[in-house]
Amino acid sequence: MDIKSENRCFGGVQGVYSHASGATGCDMTFGLFLPEDARHIKVPVLWFLSGLTCTHENAMTKAAAQGWAAEAGVALVFPDTSPRGEGVANDDAYDLGQGAGFYVNATQDPWAPHFRMWDYIADELPALLGDEFAIDLDRQAITGHSMGGHGALTLAMNLPDRFASVSAFAPIAHPTQSDWGRKQFGAYLGPDESTWARHDATLLMRDRGFDGPVLIDQGSDDNFLDLLKPEALSQAMAARRQEGTFRIQKGYDHSYFFISTFIEDHIAFHAEALHA
């Protein structure tokens, strides 16, 4: 593992690190904020999965999360959104290929050799964090934005007992019924739509739900509402009587201004579950 940078931040350290990934077959970069408590004890961790076109850097620099995490004594991990580099398949469209991994394991060419973001986020990166840093893997929570909100919700519902809580900002909520999903699932997973269901938060909520608290924030002025389909997830949560809160935030859009406005709420929400 290589240290790209480490900066003092709210009493702790905001670092950027890279490593050779067996899951993706290329070098991967991630950001990690460790609060001051991590100098003495293992701390719980909150994952932030980012959206289309993002790297590890977007949420790390724009979400304004570190101060609240320091106060809560929680680490933050900011993974990249896809494999990258020479020899990694790509597409001219912003919503497929590099920057658009969709947190799945691709089974179709040319994506299959590298696009194994599910294995990377679910298995490889947590093991690395636990080995190299003062991270308590028995206390994990997860959040994300847009494509990352989709990833957070699907990981949380597919990995029982892994996460104490899950939240999302403007998640792609019903990808099997959206152009932000059908296009990518067809490319990465192939035409058999039965393989897509485990990566659809609305279908997972209907089928199994999440054994813990859920928090969803969606801006009313989001220009991607038709692609996100938040009403489908809201209805599935209500029908299942899922423990959780689904909030429509009047006047907010899809940007990091929206995320930074409500990130305090989300970190407090996760901190309560992680320190319970």
Side-chain angles (χ1 to χ4, degrees):
M1 190 181 68
D2 294 328
I3 301 172
K4 296 295 187 182
S5 63
E6 288 184 329
N7 298 95
R8 192 75 167 156
C9 182
F10 290 98
V13 175
Q14 175 62 65
V16 176
Y17 309 93
S18 68
H19 68 107
S21 167
T24 65
C26 63
D27 287 347
M28 297 293 292
T29 301
F30 65 93
L32 176 66
F33 171 73
L34 288 172
E36 187 174 13
D37 290 353
R39 295 173 57 191
H40 313 290
I41 59 172
K42 287 190 173 184
V43 295
V45 61
L46 172 60
W47 294 76
F48 191 110
L49 304 187
S50 293
L52 288 167
T53 75
C54 291
T55 70
H56 68 281
E57 191 173 19
N58 296 72
M60 187 181 80
T61 59
K62 294 181 179 180
Q66 288 90 341
W68 304 115
E71 187 175 303
V74 172
L76 298 171
V77 59
F78 305 99
D80 203 346
T81 56
S82 78
R84 299 179 191 272
E86 186 177 353
V88 176
N90 201 11
D91 190 272
D92 290 338
Y94 75 94
D95 58 356
L96 187 68
Q98 295 185 36
F102 264 77
Y103 304 100
V104 302
N105 285 341
T107 59
Q108 308 298 303
D109 289 332
W111 314 105
H114 298 285
F115 280 73
R116 302 190 63 81
M117 289 301 293
W118 183 276
D119 283 353
Y120 179 68
I121 299 296
D123 299 318
E124 185 176 33
L125 188 52
L128 178 67
L129 294 176
D131 287 342
E132 299 290 339
F133 301 97
I135 298 293
D136 183 356
L137 293 180
D138 290 330
R139 293 186 292 164
Q140 298 186 63
I142 192 166
T143 188
H145 171 230
S146 194
M147 179 185 72
H150 138 78
L153 289 163
T154 56
L155 281 155
M157 285 187 275
N158 275 300
L159 299 173
D161 304 321
R162 171 74 64 89
F163 300 103
S165 50
V166 60
S167 74
F169 298 87
I172 300 174
H174 201 8
T176 62
Q177 300 302 314
S178 169
D179 288 344
W180 273 359
R182 296 190 62 81
K183 171 184 177 179
Q184 294 80 7
F185 290 174
Y188 295 146
L189 303 177
D192 181 0
E193 295 189 18
S194 67
T195 66
W196 300 3
R198 69 187 295 262
H199 298 292
D200 186 306
T202 294
L203 298 181
L204 288 167
M205 184 60 68
R206 291 173 186 169
D207 181 56
R208 66 185 73 174
F210 177 67
D211 187 18
V214 177
L215 173 62
I216 310 293
D217 271 320
Q218 172 64 62
S220 69
D221 287 9
D222 194 316
N223 53 321
F224 300 115
L225 283 173
D226 289 345
L227 292 165
L228 300 173
K229 300 190 179 299
E231 65 284 348
L233 179 59
S234 175
Q235 291 163 7
M237 289 176 65
R240 189 167 189 84
R241 297 178 174 85
Q242 170 69 46
E243 176 191 2
T245 302
F246 194 109
R247 308 191 300 192
I248 300 294
Q249 302 292 0
K250 184 174 177 59
Y252 284 88
D253 58 19
H254 200 71
S255 71
Y256 271 91
F257 297 111
F258 162 57
I259 296 170
S260 62
T261 299
F262 298 103
I263 193 69
E264 178 187 5
D265 292 354
H266 284 246
I267 291 177
F269 164 79
H270 291 295
E272 181 177 1
L274 290 167
H275 290 301

